[in-house]
Amino acid sequence: MAKLLRLVATRLGLGLLTLLVVSVLIFFAVELLPGDLAEAVLGQAATEETVEAMRRQLGLDRPAPVRYLEWLGGALRGDFGTSLISGAPVGEAIATRFANTLFLAAYAAVIAVPLAILLGVLVALLRNSIFDRVANVATLTSISSPEFFVGYILILFLSIRTGWFPSNASLSGDMSLTDQLYRAFLSALTLVLVVTAHMMRMTRAAIINLLASPYIEMARLKGVPPWRRIVRHALPNAWAPIINVVALNLAYLITGVVLVEVVFVYPGIGQLLVDAVAKRDFPIVQACCLIFAATFILLNLAADVGAILTNPRLRHPK
Amino acid sequence: MTRLIKPAGGLTRRNFLNTSAAGAAVALGAGILGGPARAQPKRGGTFRCAKGHGSTTDTLNPGSWENGFMLALAYGIHGYLTSVGADGSLQPELAESWEATPDAKIWRFKLRQGVTFHSGKALTPEDVVNAIQFHRGEESTSAAKPLLEAITDISTEGGDTVVFTLSAGSADFPFTFTDYHLAICPTKDGAMDWQSGDGCGPYTLVEFQPGVQARFARNENDWNQERGWFNEAELLSIVDLNARTTALISGDVHAIDKLDLKTIGLMERNPNLNIQSVAGNQHYTFAMSCNKDPYTDANVRLALKHAINREELVEKILFGYGSVGNDHPIGQGQRYYNDELAQTPYDPDKAKFYLKEAGMDTLTVELAAADAAFPGAVDAAVLFQNSAKAVGIDVQVARKPNDGYWSDVWMKHPFSAVYWGGRPVEDAMFTTAYAAGAAWNDSFWENDRFNELLVTARAELDEAKRREMYYEMQAIVNQDGGVIIPMFANYTFALSNDVVTGDSMSSHWDQDGERWMERWSFA
C-alpha cells in the first residue's frame, strides 16, 4: 500500500511539471497566432489609436516573456489572472462552463460505461453470433461518423420529425435537474454513441484474449456455465485494459466535445476555449488548457491505480 | 411565404401609401410621438430569438459592442438620444427636440422629462454628458470614438439641455446618436456606469450569459408605452447555422437571423414560417489600394469594375436576396441615392479599352478573400476570376483564414474582399470609408473634389444643394473610387407565424434595425 501511495505522489509531482511545460507551450502558441487581443476585440472597428490605447491599458505592449513570468508568479500564488476582455477573475469566468461540461460528461459516462461493458461481456459471450455482428457494426458505425453528424441525425429523427426532445440544450440556472437531463439528453446520447464502441471493443477483445488461457479451459472442463466463466473467471483479469480505455474516454468526454457543444448549443467549456482563442484572451486559454491537461494526468493516474488495485499480483508483490 | 420589403423611400406603390398614411397620422396626432400606424399590438408572451452572433467574450461595455447579439441587447435595455424609425427617418427618443445654429456647429438637445432608468434614477443631462464622454479622449478604446471626433465640447444648459460644440458644421449630427454604441447609461461617481446593465430602454436585463443567452423583462415604467409588447424576451446565441435553423423549425424559438441562402427555398415551403427579406445598406465590396500599383491608375480600376458580372453574383452568391451595386456605398433607400447615375455593366470590351488606356494588354492581380469578409466571399472571388478572363485579366484568388482576417488581410493586402453594414446617412458612410486619411478608408483613396464636397455638404442645410452635392460625390466614387461594390445584400431572417411585425421594417440593421424587442408582438 505504501508503494501505491509513493507511486501516486511521484506521478502527481511529474504531473505538475507537465502542467508547467504545457503552460509555456500554450502561452507561446497564443503569441504565435496572428494579431493580438486588441486587434481581435476591436475587429473591423480597430483604428491605430484605439488599438494602441487598449494595448497600453492591458499591458500588452510589454515583451511576451515578462508577461508570462508575471502570469506564472500569480498562478503559483493561486491567482490565475483575470479575463483580459471582461475583467472577471478566470475562476469566475470558467466555473459555470466547467460545471456544465462535467455535468454533460457525467451524464454521458453514467450511461455509456455500464452499457459498453455490459455489451462487451455479452458480445464476448455470444461471439460470432448475429448479435455480436449487429452490435459491432452499429457501434463501429457510430464511432466512425463524425460526432456532429451523429448529432444532426439524432436531431432530425428525435427532435424535428418526432418532437420528442429539444434540439438545443441551452441550460439556464433556474432549471430543475429533470429539466436539465431532458434538455441535454440528445447531446448526451450523441456522446454515448461516440464513446461506447471503443470501450465495448476493448472489453470484448480483453475477454476473448483470456478465454484461450489454460485456467479458463480448466473452468470449462469442470463444467462452469459460459456466462459464469466470463464474469467470474475472465473479467477480473481483464479489468486493467478496460479501465485504461474507460479513463481515456472519460478524458475525451471532458476535453473533446466542442463540436457537440456547437451542434446542440450547449454552454460548455469547449466553446469558451474556442472563443478565447479567437480573441487571444490568454488567461482563459491558459486556464482551460491546464484544466484539460490536468484531466488527462489525473485520469491516467486513476487508471494506473485502478489497474493495480484490481490485480492481486500487483497489489501484493513478492 | 416571402414578403419582400423594399426600403422606405423606394418606389413601390405600397410603400408610397404606407408613407403617406404615416405622414397623415403624424399630421393628425401631432405631438403623439411614435404613434402606431397599425392596430394596437397585443401585450404579453415570452419571445425567444436566436441570433447567429454572440461570443463568450462579449461584455456590457458599450465601447466594445461589435456583433448583432450585443446590438439587439443594447437596443432592448438602453435608451438613445435619437433613433432611426422603421421608415428610416430620424426619430426623437431621449432627446425630445434639438436645434442647431445656422452654421450647424452648435447643437442643443432638449431631454425628455420624466424618463427614469430601470433602477428608478431620473435621467439627467449629466448622464448624457458622461455617457458620450466615455467614448472620447486619449484613453478611450471605444469603437465609436471616430464618430465623435468632430465634437470639441459638451456642456449642459438649464437642467434639461445638452450642448455639443463641433469643430465644423454637420447637418446630420443628430443621426450620430442613433449609433448602438452611444447608449445612455446612468452616472455613478462621476463616470458612466455600464457594469450594472441599468438603462432606460423598453426592457430590463434579467440575466446575461455572454455567448449563451440574455433574458429580459418588460420595463413597466417605460416612458413610451407604445413599445415593448412582450412580457419577457430571451435572446440566444446560436452561431451554428444548422442548430439555429433547427431551433426555429422545431418551434424552440420564434425568430432567427442570418438564414442559409442555399436552403431558404426549403424553409419557404414550411407553412409555419414567415421568411423576411429586407433591402438595406449592407454591401459587399472588393477594395483596391489606390496607393499601390497597379491600382494607382484609375483606368485599371475602371477595367476591373467592368470585368465583374454583378447580376451573376447577386444570383449565385445572394440567391437573389439582394441587388446589384454601382461602386458607391449609398443604398437605394437612402435620402440622396443618385438614381440618375448609369449602372456600370459587365462589359469585357469596355474593360479591355480601359486596360489599353492604362497601357496594358493583360493584367494579373491577386484578390484576397475569406468567408469572414462576407458569406460566399471566396466563391464570389472565383466568379470574378471567371468573368475577368474574357478581358485578359487574371484574377488570382488567394484564400485567407477567417481568423485574423480583419487584422492581417483587410487594408494590408492591396486587393481584398470586405463587407460594410452601411450607415443611415450618406455623410457617415463617406466620412468613415472614403474621406482622405480616414482610418477605415480601405482603398486609400484620395480625391480632392470629393473631399471638398464632403466638407461642404456636411454643413449645408439647404436640401436641394445638398442633394446635388451628394449626387456628384456618388458619381465621383463610381468612376474614380478604389472600391468595387458589386452587390447590396438584403437582411434575411425568419419568424414563426404567430409573430406580428410593423407594416414596414427598418433596414438600419438586421431584424427590423435590431429593434424587434420593442416593435414586434404576438398575434
Side-chain angles (χ1 to χ4, degrees):
Chain A
M1 221 51 207
K3 205 175 168 202
L4 192 64
L5 286 177
R6 203 159 54 238
L7 173 96
V8 171
T10 342
R11 293 285 291 277
L12 283 179
L14 283 173
L16 283 178
L17 198 65
T18 316
L19 288 182
L20 184 70
V21 175
V22 168
S23 79
V24 175
L25 283 178
I26 299 298
F27 181 84
F28 288 97
V30 174
E31 280 299 307
L32 282 179
L33 290 172
D36 70 353
L37 177 119
E39 282 171 338
V41 168
L42 294 167
Q44 198 192 8
T47 63
E48 250 169 61
E49 258 183 72
T50 48
V51 166
E52 280 308 314
M54 186 172 261
R55 281 191 187 136
R56 262 201 316 279
Q57 282 169 24
L58 296 172
L60 293 175
D61 47 353
R62 291 167 309 145
V66 175
R67 278 181 285 132
Y68 175 73
L69 288 177
E70 270 181 16
W71 174 84
L72 188 65
L76 290 178
R77 276 178 275 117
D79 169 19
F80 286 84
T82 54
S83 159
L84 294 179
I85 291 165
S86 65
V90 165
E92 199 179 288
I94 288 183
T96 347
R97 294 295 192 118
F98 190 52
N100 284 343
T101 293
L102 286 181
F103 171 74
L104 185 60
Y107 191 177
V110 163
I111 302 174
V113 175
L115 180 74
I117 293 175
L118 190 69
L119 274 179
V121 170
L122 280 178
V123 293
L125 191 63
L126 305 170
R127 67 183 177 284
N128 299 332
S129 69
I130 282 289
F131 177 75
D132 180 21
R133 292 194 182 169
V134 170
N136 267 314
V137 168
T139 51
L140 284 177
T141 310
S142 64
I143 201 179
S144 313
S145 335
E147 60 239 56
F148 64 87
F149 181 71
V150 176
Y152 285 144
I153 295 287
L154 290 180
I155 287 179
L156 178 63
F157 288 105
L158 298 183
S159 178
I160 297 185
R161 291 276 169 86
T162 58
W164 290 343
F165 295 98
S167 65
N168 85 62
S170 55
L171 306 176
S172 58
D174 48 7
M175 275 183 184
S176 69
L177 182 66
T178 344
D179 270 354
Q180 291 191 10
L181 289 175
Y182 176 65
R183 278 241 146 215
F185 180 73
L186 285 187
S187 21
L189 185 59
T190 309
L191 290 175
V192 167
L193 289 176
V194 172
V195 297
T196 301
H198 199 190
M199 294 188 282
M200 184 201 90
R201 301 271 306 168
M202 185 50 91
T203 309
R204 179 181 184 273
I207 290 175
I208 288 177
N209 201 20
L210 285 170
L211 289 184
S213 359
Y215 81 95
I216 297 286
E217 199 165 352
M218 184 63 219
R220 202 175 119 204
L221 289 176
K222 74 179 184 194
V224 177
W227 66 268
R228 212 178 138 77
R229 275 204 309 269
I230 286 180
V231 177
R232 292 281 305 165
H233 296 257
L235 195 56
N237 274 322
W239 275 127
I242 296 175
I243 287 176
N244 261 309
V245 168
V246 168
L248 275 182
N249 277 293
L250 290 183
Y252 164 80
L253 285 178
I254 293 173
T255 62
V257 298
V258 62
L259 288 178
V260 174
E261 285 178 12
V262 169
V263 168
F264 291 100
V265 205
Y266 188 84
I269 201 169
Q271 191 58 50
L272 178 72
L273 175 62
V274 170
D275 282 348
V277 170
K279 292 282 158 68
R280 320 282 188 254
D281 192 349
F282 158 73
I284 301 271
V285 176
Q286 187 73 283
C288 290
C289 290
L290 288 182
I291 287 177
F292 289 173
T295 306
F296 270 99
I297 291 170
L298 290 178
L299 282 171
N300 267 315
L301 177 61
D304 287 352
V305 171
I308 291 173
L309 288 182
T310 54
N311 190 332
R313 273 172 304 181
L314 293 174
R315 209 163 52 210
H316 307 289
K318 283 202 184 114
Chain B
M1 280 174 65
T2 303
R3 195 156 64 120
L4 198 80
I5 296 182
K6 292 266 179 180
L11 298 171
T12 62
R13 180 176 154 274
R14 188 194 160 113
N15 243 310
F16 171 69
L17 289 177
N18 275 343
T19 323
S20 6
V26 170
L28 287 173
I32 306 172
L33 292 159
R38 54 172 165 158
Q40 181 87 359
K42 222 171 72 184
R43 278 203 192 284
T46 299
F47 184 74
R48 283 164 65 86
C49 174
K51 294 194 80 69
H53 274 154
S55 158
T56 43
T57 51
D58 289 338
T59 71
L60 291 175
N61 178 348
S64 74
W65 294 337
E66 49 133 4
N67 61 49
F69 185 95
M70 294 312 293
L71 237 159
L73 181 146
Y75 283 138
I77 64 174
H78 285 299
Y80 292 77
L81 284 182
T82 56
S83 68
V84 177
D87 59 355
S89 65
L90 186 67
Q91 300 287 337
E93 202 177 302
L94 296 182
E96 199 173 47
S97 61
W98 48 86
E99 55 178 23
T101 50
D103 58 359
K105 262 189 169 174
I106 297 172
W107 285 85
R108 287 189 166 72
F109 285 78
K110 190 165 178 295
L111 297 188
R112 190 178 297 282
Q113 292 304 298
V115 176
T116 55
F117 288 97
H118 303 147
S119 59
K121 178 189 166 332
L123 173 75
T124 65
E126 283 71 34
D127 295 323
V128 176
V129 173
N130 287 324
I132 304 302
Q133 289 290 20
F134 175 81
H135 301 276
R136 301 178 65 232
E138 276 291 289
E139 286 304 302
S140 163
T141 56
S142 168
K145 192 175 177 177
L147 296 175
L148 304 172
E149 236 146 42
I151 299 177
T152 53
D153 184 58
I154 310 178
S155 59
T156 61
E157 205 175 82
D160 67 343
T161 304
V162 183
V163 185
F164 295 89
T165 312
L166 312 183
S167 55
S170 170
D172 288 329
F173 183 67
F175 262 105
T176 309
F177 297 109
T178 63
D179 186 86
Y180 61 94
H181 297 102
L182 302 179
I184 307 300
C185 304
T187 292
K188 201 172 116 188
D189 305 327
M192 180 169 91
D193 166 36
W194 54 263
Q195 290 87 343
S196 62
D198 193 11
C200 35
Y203 288 86
T204 55
L205 185 62
V206 177
E207 185 192 356
F208 175 46
Q209 294 182 51
V212 184
Q213 62 168 344
R215 292 194 295 147
F216 310 85
R218 199 174 92 81
N219 172 14
E220 301 291 339
N221 304 319
D222 192 16
W223 61 270
N224 184 354
Q225 289 295 318
E226 298 296 324
R227 63 176 188 177
W229 308 103
F230 304 117
N231 281 342
E232 285 169 47
E234 291 182 26
L235 178 57
L236 289 96
S237 165
I238 305 187
V239 178
D240 184 60
L241 184 59
N242 236 308
R244 195 161 66 245
T245 313
T246 309
L248 180 71
I249 292 175
S250 63
D252 202 28
V253 299
H254 300 102
I256 59 170
D257 66 351
K258 301 197 176 302
L259 305 183
D260 180 7
L261 297 177
K262 292 183 187 114
T263 58
I264 214 165
L266 293 171
M267 285 178 83
E268 278 172 357
R269 278 196 246 149
N270 189 326
N272 301 321
L273 302 182
N274 190 349
I275 312 291
Q276 302 283 350
S277 171
V278 179
N281 302 329
Q282 171 178 244
H283 52 278
Y284 298 159
T285 75
F286 296 112
M288 307 175 268
S289 300
C290 298
N291 56 356
K292 290 198 184 109
D293 277 331
Y295 312 106
T296 43
D297 190 335
N299 284 311
V300 170
R301 305 201 290 265
L302 275 170
L304 283 163
K305 284 174 185 173
H306 283 91
I308 190 163
N309 189 339
R310 294 153 204 261
E311 280 79 12
E312 188 186 31
L313 288 179
V314 170
E315 182 195 330
K316 291 183 179 161
I317 301 296
L318 302 178
F319 293 85
Y321 290 92
S323 54
V324 294
N326 199 13
D327 301 328
H328 66 72
I330 307 306
Q332 287 176 25
Q334 291 193 261
R335 266 182 311 173
Y336 303 124
Y337 171 75
N338 186 345
D339 51 4
E340 295 156 9
L341 195 62
Q343 170 69 45
T344 310
Y346 171 52
D347 189 339
D349 289 334
K350 224 170 183 175
K352 268 185 198 151
F353 166 76
Y354 285 117
L355 208 54
K356 274 243 158 58
E357 289 286 295
M360 300 178 200
D361 287 326
T362 57
L363 172 67
T364 304
V365 291
E366 193 187 64
L367 173 59
D371 281 347
F374 56 84
V378 179
D379 294 341
V382 172
L383 288 172
F384 188 10
Q385 175 182 55
N386 215 34
S387 64
K389 253 184 210 147
V391 186
I393 299 178
D394 180 15
V395 177
Q396 296 178 340
V397 179
R399 190 185 181 133
K400 302 286 177 185
N402 285 338
D403 192 32
Y405 185 81
W406 300 114
S407 55
D408 299 324
V409 179
W410 183 58
M411 295 190 70
K412 303 268 189 332
H413 196 282
F415 195 19
S416 62
V418 189
Y419 87 91
W420 281 93
R423 298 288 184 273
V425 285
E426 293 76 3
D427 177 58
M429 190 65 229
F430 283 141
T431 308
T432 315
Y434 294 84
W440 300 327
N441 181 343
D442 55 8
S443 56
F444 302 92
W445 180 63
E446 278 183 39
N447 181 299
D448 294 339
R449 174 70 183 151
F450 177 87
N451 288 313
E452 184 192 318
L453 280 170
L454 185 62
V455 178
T456 332
R458 192 181 293 151
E460 180 60 64
L461 293 173
D462 183 289
E463 187 79 8
K465 279 190 197 153
R466 269 195 111 189
R467 173 175 302 273
E468 204 173 295
M469 286 189 255
Y470 280 119
Y471 270 37
E472 188 183 341
M473 283 154 78
Q474 287 168 59
I476 297 174
V477 176
N478 164 275
Q479 281 299 308
D480 188 65
V483 182
I484 304 174
I485 306 180
M487 52 189 156
F488 275 67
N490 286 4
Y491 290 116
T492 54
F493 49 95
L495 313 172
S496 64
N497 263 346
D498 53 351
V499 178
V500 183
T501 66
D503 287 333
S504 66
M505 275 197 262
S506 170
S507 60
H508 184 204
W509 294 105
D510 205 346
Q511 291 192 316
D512 209 351
E514 295 296 2
R515 284 187 177 264
W516 47 269
M517 218 186 291
E518 66 173 72
R519 287 182 186 156
W520 297 354
S521 62
F522 282 119

